[in-house]
Amino acid sequence: APQPAPPAELVLRVTPGPRDDWFTARALRDFTSRAYRVSAASNRIGLRTEGPALERARSGELPSEGMVLGAVQVPPDGRPVVFLADHPTTGGYPVIAVVRSADLPAAAQAVPGTPVRFVAVRRR
């Protein structure tokens, strides 16, 4: 059966995450207004991004927490990572947002270099 091609641009709708208060106001604005690209380091664990680093308002790390599919964690380099099918716990990094489940199949198929935009939406 025919399958859709990978997206030319990946638009991921996100709701605020459980740790968005760990980021500066500027980082929260940048996250949903600046462009990212899919990194070649992406895999079944997570869609890694290249682009502007997100600045934290807090230092330190969190205890590891279980996360849902689509959680967007931000490791120390400041580049968002979207958890995909084989995701682990957070590893102590704050989760800034969660991607809507309807957008995850396209994220899993995106090829390195694909432009990525995170778009803020209301919680259901």
Side-chain angles (χ1 to χ4, degrees), residues 27-96:
L28 294 171
R29 273 192 318 275
D30 285 351
F31 176 62
T32 57
S33 66
R34 307 269 312 266
Y36 290 87
R37 286 182 315 280
V38 174
S39 167
S42 297
N43 56 31
R44 287 181 51 86
I45 293 171
L47 180 141
R48 295 183 176 277
T49 63
E50 298 169 345
L54 300 175
E55 181 182 22
R56 289 190 190 178
R58 294 182 177 183
S59 60
E61 300 301 331
L62 296 156
S64 288
E65 302 174 300
M67 280 294 125
V68 297
L69 185 66
V72 183
Q73 85 169 4
V74 182
D77 71 0
R79 276 41 178 218
V81 177
V82 179
F83 281 163
L84 296 175
D86 293 342
H87 72 84
T89 60
T90 64
Y93 308 136
V95 172
I96 193 170

Coordinates of all heavy atoms in Angstrom, one line a residue, residues 27-96:
A27 N 13.5 31.5 26.6 CA 13.6 30.1 26.1 C 12.2 29.6 25.7 O 12.1 29.0 24.7 CB 14.2 29.2 27.2
L28 N 11.2 29.9 26.5 CA 9.8 29.5 26.2 C 9.3 30.1 24.9 O 8.7 29.4 24.1 CB 8.9 29.8 27.4 CG 9.1 29.0 28.7 CD1 8.3 29.6 29.8 CD2 8.9 27.5 28.5
R29 N 9.7 31.4 24.7 CA 9.3 32.1 23.4 C 10.1 31.5 22.3 O 9.5 31.2 21.2 CB 9.6 33.6 23.5 CG 8.5 34.4 24.1 CD 8.8 35.9 23.9 NE 10.1 36.3 24.1 CZ 10.7 36.6 25.3 NH1 9.9 36.6 26.4 NH2 11.9 37.0 25.4
D30 N 11.4 31.3 22.5 CA 12.2 30.7 21.4 C 11.8 29.3 21.0 O 11.8 29.0 19.8 CB 13.7 30.7 21.8 CG 14.4 32.0 21.8 OD1 13.8 33.0 21.4 OD2 15.5 32.1 22.3
F31 N 11.4 28.5 22.0 CA 11.0 27.2 21.7 C 9.8 27.1 20.7 O 9.8 26.3 19.8 CB 10.6 26.5 23.0 CG 10.1 25.1 22.8 CD1 10.8 24.1 22.3 CD2 8.8 24.8 23.2 CE1 10.4 22.8 22.2 CE2 8.3 23.5 23.1 CZ 9.1 22.5 22.6
T32 N 8.9 28.0 20.8 CA 7.7 28.0 19.9 C 7.8 29.1 18.8 O 6.8 29.2 18.0 CB 6.4 28.2 20.7 OG1 6.5 29.4 21.4 CG2 6.2 27.0 21.6
S33 N 8.9 29.7 18.6 CA 9.0 30.8 17.6 C 10.2 30.6 16.7 O 10.3 31.2 15.6 CB 8.9 32.2 18.1 OG 10.1 32.4 18.9
R34 N 11.2 29.9 17.1 CA 12.4 29.7 16.3 C 12.4 28.4 15.6 O 11.7 27.4 15.9 CB 13.7 29.8 17.2 CG 13.8 31.0 18.1 CD 14.5 32.2 17.6 NE 15.7 32.0 17.0 CZ 16.9 32.1 17.5 NH1 17.0 32.4 18.8 NH2 18.0 31.9 16.8
A35 N 13.2 28.3 14.5 CA 13.2 27.1 13.7 C 14.3 26.1 14.2 O 15.4 26.6 14.6 CB 13.5 27.5 12.2
Y36 N 14.0 24.9 14.1 CA 15.0 23.8 14.4 C 15.0 22.9 13.2 O 14.3 23.0 12.2 CB 14.5 23.0 15.6 CG 14.6 23.7 16.9 CD1 13.5 24.5 17.3 CD2 15.7 23.7 17.7 CE1 13.6 25.3 18.5 CE2 15.8 24.4 18.9 CZ 14.7 25.2 19.3 OH 14.8 25.9 20.4
R37 N 16.0 22.0 13.2 CA 16.1 20.9 12.2 C 16.3 19.6 12.8 O 16.8 19.5 13.9 CB 17.4 21.2 11.3 CG 17.3 22.3 10.3 CD 18.5 22.5 9.5 NE 19.8 22.4 10.2 CZ 20.3 23.3 10.9 NH1 19.8 24.5 11.0 NH2 21.5 23.2 11.6
V38 N 15.9 18.5 12.2 CA 16.1 17.2 12.7 C 17.5 16.8 12.6 O 18.1 17.0 11.5 CB 15.2 16.2 11.9 CG1 15.5 14.7 12.3 CG2 13.7 16.4 12.0
S39 N 18.1 16.4 13.7 CA 19.5 16.0 13.7 C 19.7 14.6 13.2 O 18.9 13.7 13.3 CB 20.0 16.1 15.2 OG 21.3 15.4 15.3
A40 N 20.9 14.4 12.6 CA 21.3 13.0 12.1 C 21.4 12.1 13.3 O 21.4 10.8 13.1 CB 22.6 13.1 11.3
A41 N 21.5 12.6 14.5 CA 21.6 11.7 15.7 C 20.3 11.2 16.2 O 20.2 10.5 17.2 CB 22.3 12.5 16.9
S42 N 19.2 11.5 15.5 CA 17.9 11.0 15.9 C 17.8 9.5 15.6 O 18.5 8.9 14.8 CB 16.8 11.7 15.0 OG 16.8 13.1 15.3
N43 N 16.9 8.8 16.4 CA 16.7 7.4 16.3 C 15.3 7.1 16.9 O 14.5 7.9 17.2 CB 17.8 6.6 16.9 CG 18.0 7.0 18.4 OD1 17.1 7.3 19.1 ND2 19.3 6.9 18.8
R44 N 15.1 5.8 17.1 CA 13.8 5.3 17.7 C 13.6 5.8 19.1 O 12.4 5.9 19.6 CB 13.7 3.8 17.7 CG 13.4 3.3 16.3 CD 13.3 1.7 16.3 NE 12.4 1.2 17.3 CZ 11.0 1.1 17.1 NH1 10.5 1.5 15.9 NH2 10.3 0.6 18.0
I45 N 14.6 6.2 19.8 CA 14.5 6.7 21.1 C 14.0 8.1 21.1 O 13.1 8.5 21.9 CB 15.9 6.6 21.9 CG1 16.2 5.2 22.1 CG2 15.8 7.4 23.2 CD1 17.7 4.9 22.6
G46 N 14.6 9.0 20.3 CA 14.2 10.3 20.2 C 14.6 11.1 19.0 O 15.6 10.8 18.3
L47 N 13.7 12.1 18.6 CA 14.0 13.0 17.6 C 14.8 14.1 18.2 O 14.3 14.9 19.0 CB 12.7 13.5 17.0 CG 12.9 14.5 15.8 CD1 11.8 14.2 14.8 CD2 12.9 15.9 16.2
R48 N 16.1 14.1 17.8 CA 17.0 15.2 18.3 C 17.0 16.4 17.4 O 16.8 16.2 16.2 CB 18.4 14.6 18.5 CG 18.5 13.6 19.5 CD 19.9 13.1 19.7 NE 20.0 12.1 20.7 CZ 20.1 12.4 22.0 NH1 20.1 13.6 22.4 NH2 20.1 11.4 22.9
T49 N 17.1 17.5 17.9 CA 17.1 18.7 17.1 C 18.4 19.5 17.1 O 19.2 19.4 18.0 CB 16.0 19.7 17.6 OG1 16.3 20.1 18.9 CG2 14.6 19.0 17.5
E50 N 18.6 20.3 16.0 CA 19.7 21.2 15.9 C 19.0 22.6 15.8 O 18.0 22.7 15.1 CB 20.5 21.0 14.6 CG 21.1 19.6 14.6 CD 21.7 19.3 13.2 OE1 21.3 20.0 12.2 OE2 22.5 18.3 13.1
G51 N 19.6 23.6 16.5 CA 19.0 24.9 16.5 C 19.4 25.6 17.7 O 20.3 25.3 18.5
P52 N 18.6 26.7 18.0 CA 18.9 27.5 19.2 C 18.8 26.7 20.5 O 17.9 26.0 20.7 CB 17.9 28.7 19.1 CG 16.8 28.2 18.2 CD 17.4 27.2 17.3
A53 N 19.8 26.9 21.4 CA 19.8 26.3 22.7 C 18.8 27.0 23.6 O 18.7 28.3 23.5 CB 21.2 26.3 23.3
L54 N 18.1 26.3 24.4 CA 17.1 26.9 25.3 C 17.7 27.1 26.7 O 18.3 26.1 27.3 CB 15.9 26.0 25.4 CG 15.1 25.7 24.1 CD1 14.0 24.7 24.3 CD2 14.6 27.0 23.5
E55 N 17.7 28.3 27.2 CA 18.3 28.6 28.4 C 17.4 28.3 29.6 O 16.2 28.6 29.6 CB 18.6 30.1 28.5 CG 19.3 30.6 29.7 CD 19.5 32.1 29.7 OE1 18.8 32.8 29.0 OE2 20.4 32.6 30.5
R56 N 18.1 27.7 30.6 CA 17.3 27.3 31.8 C 17.3 28.5 32.8 O 18.2 29.2 32.9 CB 18.0 26.1 32.5 CG 17.9 24.8 31.8 CD 18.4 23.7 32.7 NE 18.5 22.5 31.9 CZ 18.9 21.4 32.5 NH1 19.3 21.4 33.7 NH2 19.0 20.3 31.7
A57 N 16.2 28.5 33.6 CA 16.1 29.5 34.7 C 16.6 28.9 36.0 O 16.9 29.6 36.9 CB 14.6 29.8 34.9
R58 N 16.7 27.5 36.0 CA 17.3 26.8 37.2 C 18.5 26.0 36.8 O 18.6 25.5 35.6 CB 16.2 25.8 37.7 CG 15.0 26.4 38.3 CD 14.1 25.3 38.8 NE 12.9 25.8 39.4 CZ 12.1 25.0 40.0 NH1 12.2 23.7 40.0 NH2 11.0 25.5 40.6
S59 N 19.4 25.8 37.7 CA 20.5 24.9 37.4 C 20.3 23.6 38.1 O 19.3 23.4 38.8 CB 21.8 25.6 38.0 OG 21.7 25.7 39.4
G60 N 21.1 22.6 37.9 CA 21.0 21.3 38.5 C 20.2 20.4 37.6 O 19.8 20.7 36.5
E61 N 20.0 19.2 38.2 CA 19.2 18.2 37.5 C 18.1 17.7 38.4 O 18.1 17.9 39.6 CB 20.2 17.0 37.1 CG 21.3 17.4 36.2 CD 20.9 18.0 34.8 OE1 19.8 17.7 34.3 OE2 21.6 18.9 34.3
L62 N 17.2 16.9 37.8 CA 16.1 16.3 38.5 C 16.3 14.8 38.7 O 17.1 14.3 38.0 CB 14.8 16.5 37.6 CG 14.3 17.8 37.3 CD1 13.5 17.8 36.0 CD2 13.5 18.3 38.5
P63 N 15.6 14.2 39.6 CA 15.6 12.8 39.7 C 15.0 12.2 38.4 O 14.1 12.9 37.8 CB 14.8 12.4 40.9 CG 14.6 13.7 41.6 CD 14.8 14.8 40.7
S64 N 15.4 11.1 37.9 CA 14.8 10.5 36.7 C 13.4 10.3 36.9 O 12.9 9.9 38.0 CB 15.5 9.2 36.3 OG 16.8 9.4 35.8
E65 N 12.6 10.6 35.9 CA 11.1 10.4 35.9 C 10.7 9.7 34.7 O 11.2 9.8 33.6 CB 10.4 11.8 35.9 CG 10.8 12.7 37.0 CD 10.3 14.1 36.9 OE1 10.5 14.8 35.9 OE2 9.5 14.5 37.8
G66 N 9.6 8.9 34.9 CA 9.0 8.2 33.7 C 8.3 9.3 32.9 O 7.8 10.3 33.4
M67 N 8.3 9.2 31.6 CA 7.7 10.2 30.7 C 6.9 9.5 29.7 O 7.1 8.4 29.3 CB 8.8 11.0 30.0 CG 9.4 12.1 30.8 SD 8.2 13.3 31.2 CE 8.3 13.3 32.9
V68 N 5.9 10.3 29.2 CA 5.0 9.8 28.1 C 5.7 9.9 26.8 O 6.6 10.7 26.6 CB 3.7 10.6 28.1 CG1 2.9 10.4 29.4 CG2 3.9 12.0 27.9
L69 N 5.1 9.1 25.8 CA 5.5 9.3 24.4 C 5.3 10.7 24.0 O 4.2 11.2 24.3 CB 4.7 8.3 23.6 CG 5.0 8.2 22.1 CD1 6.4 7.6 21.9 CD2 4.0 7.3 21.5
G70 N 6.2 11.3 23.4 CA 6.0 12.7 22.9 C 6.6 13.8 23.8 O 6.6 15.0 23.5
A71 N 7.1 13.4 25.0 CA 7.6 14.3 25.9 C 8.8 15.0 25.3 O 9.6 14.3 24.6 CB 8.0 13.7 27.2
V72 N 9.0 16.3 25.5 CA 10.2 17.0 24.9 C 11.1 17.4 26.0 O 10.8 18.3 26.8 CB 9.7 18.3 24.2 CG1 10.9 19.0 23.5 CG2 8.6 18.0 23.1
Q73 N 12.2 16.6 26.2 CA 13.2 16.9 27.2 C 14.2 17.8 26.6 O 14.5 17.9 25.4 CB 13.7 15.7 27.8 CG 14.9 15.1 27.0 CD 15.6 14.0 27.8 OE1 15.2 13.6 28.9 NE2 16.7 13.5 27.2
V74 N 14.9 18.6 27.5 CA 16.0 19.5 27.1 C 17.2 19.1 27.9 O 17.3 19.4 29.1 CB 15.6 20.9 27.3 CG1 16.7 21.8 26.8 CG2 14.3 21.3 26.6
P75 N 18.2 18.4 27.3 CA 19.4 18.1 28.0 C 20.3 19.3 28.1 O 20.0 20.4 27.7 CB 20.0 17.0 27.0 CG 19.4 17.3 25.7 CD 18.1 17.9 25.9
P76 N 21.5 19.1 28.8 CA 22.3 20.3 29.1 C 22.7 21.1 27.9 O 23.0 22.3 28.0 CB 23.5 19.6 29.8 CG 23.0 18.4 30.4 CD 22.0 17.9 29.4
D77 N 22.8 20.5 26.7 CA 23.2 21.3 25.5 C 22.1 22.3 25.1 O 22.3 23.1 24.2 CB 23.6 20.4 24.3 CG 22.5 19.7 23.7 OD1 21.3 19.8 24.1 OD2 22.8 18.9 22.7
G78 N 20.8 22.2 25.7 CA 19.8 23.1 25.4 C 18.9 22.8 24.1 O 18.0 23.5 23.8
R79 N 19.3 21.7 23.4 CA 18.5 21.4 22.2 C 17.4 20.4 22.5 O 17.7 19.3 23.0 CB 19.5 20.8 21.1 CG 20.3 21.6 20.2 CD 20.9 22.8 20.8 NE 21.7 23.6 19.9 CZ 22.8 24.2 20.4 NH1 23.2 23.9 21.6 NH2 23.4 25.0 19.7
P80 N 16.2 20.7 22.2 CA 15.1 19.8 22.5 C 15.2 18.4 21.9 O 15.7 18.3 20.7 CB 13.8 20.5 21.9 CG 14.3 22.0 21.8 CD 15.7 21.9 21.5
V81 N 14.7 17.4 22.6 CA 14.7 16.0 22.1 C 13.2 15.5 22.4 O 12.7 15.6 23.5 CB 15.6 15.1 22.9 CG1 15.5 13.7 22.5 CG2 17.1 15.6 22.8
V82 N 12.6 15.0 21.3 CA 11.2 14.5 21.4 C 11.3 13.0 21.6 O 11.9 12.3 20.8 CB 10.4 14.8 20.1 CG1 9.0 14.2 20.2 CG2 10.4 16.3 19.8
F83 N 10.8 12.5 22.7 CA 10.8 11.1 23.0 C 9.9 10.3 22.0 O 8.7 10.7 21.8 CB 10.3 10.8 24.4 CG 11.3 11.0 25.5 CD1 10.9 11.2 26.8 CD2 12.6 11.1 25.2 CE1 11.8 11.4 27.8 CE2 13.6 11.3 26.3 CZ 13.1 11.4 27.5
L84 N 10.4 9.3 21.4 CA 9.7 8.5 20.5 C 9.5 7.1 21.0 O 9.5 6.9 22.3 CB 10.4 8.4 19.1 CG 10.5 9.8 18.4 CD1 11.4 9.7 17.2 CD2 9.1 10.4 18.1
A85 N 9.3 6.1 20.2 CA 8.8 4.7 20.5 C 9.6 4.0 21.6 O 9.1 3.4 22.5 CB 8.8 3.8 19.3
D86 N 10.9 4.1 21.6 CA 11.8 3.4 22.6 C 12.4 4.3 23.6 O 13.4 4.1 24.1 CB 12.9 2.7 21.8 CG 12.4 1.6 20.9 OD1 11.3 1.1 21.1 OD2 13.2 1.2 20.0
H87 N 11.6 5.3 24.0 CA 12.2 6.3 25.0 C 12.4 5.8 26.3 O 11.7 4.9 26.8 CB 11.2 7.5 25.0 CG 9.9 7.3 25.7 ND1 9.8 7.4 27.1 CD2 8.7 7.0 25.2 CE1 8.6 7.1 27.4 NE2 7.9 6.9 26.3
P88 N 13.4 6.3 27.0 CA 13.7 5.9 28.4 C 13.0 6.9 29.4 O 12.2 7.7 29.0 CB 15.2 6.1 28.5 CG 15.4 7.3 27.6 CD 14.4 7.1 26.5
T89 N 13.4 6.9 30.6 CA 13.0 7.9 31.6 C 13.8 9.2 31.2 O 14.6 9.2 30.3 CB 13.4 7.6 33.0 OG1 14.8 7.4 33.1 CG2 12.7 6.3 33.5
T90 N 13.6 10.3 31.9 CA 14.2 11.6 31.4 C 15.7 11.7 31.6 O 16.3 12.5 31.0 CB 13.5 12.8 32.2 OG1 13.8 12.6 33.6 CG2 12.1 12.9 31.9
G91 N 16.2 10.9 32.6 CA 17.6 11.0 32.8 C 18.0 12.3 33.6 O 19.1 12.7 33.6
G92 N 17.0 12.9 34.2 CA 17.2 14.0 35.0 C 17.1 15.4 34.3 O 17.4 16.4 34.9
Y93 N 16.7 15.4 33.1 CA 16.6 16.6 32.3 C 15.1 17.1 32.3 O 14.2 16.3 32.2 CB 17.0 16.4 30.9 CG 18.4 15.8 30.7 CD1 18.6 14.8 29.8 CD2 19.5 16.2 31.5 CE1 19.9 14.2 29.7 CE2 20.7 15.6 31.4 CZ 20.9 14.6 30.5 OH 22.1 14.0 30.4
P94 N 14.9 18.4 32.4 CA 13.5 18.9 32.4 C 12.8 18.7 31.1 O 13.4 18.8 30.0 CB 13.7 20.4 32.8 CG 15.1 20.7 32.3 CD 15.9 19.5 32.5
V95 N 11.5 18.5 31.2 CA 10.6 18.4 30.1 C 9.8 19.7 29.9 O 9.0 20.1 30.8 CB 9.6 17.2 30.3 CG1 8.6 17.1 29.1 CG2 10.4 15.9 30.3
I96 N 10.1 20.3 28.8 CA 9.5 21.6 28.5 C 8.1 21.6 27.9 O 7.3 22.5 28.1 CB 10.4 22.5 27.6 CG1 10.0 23.9 27.5 CG2 10.5 21.8 26.2 CD1 11.0 24.8 26.8

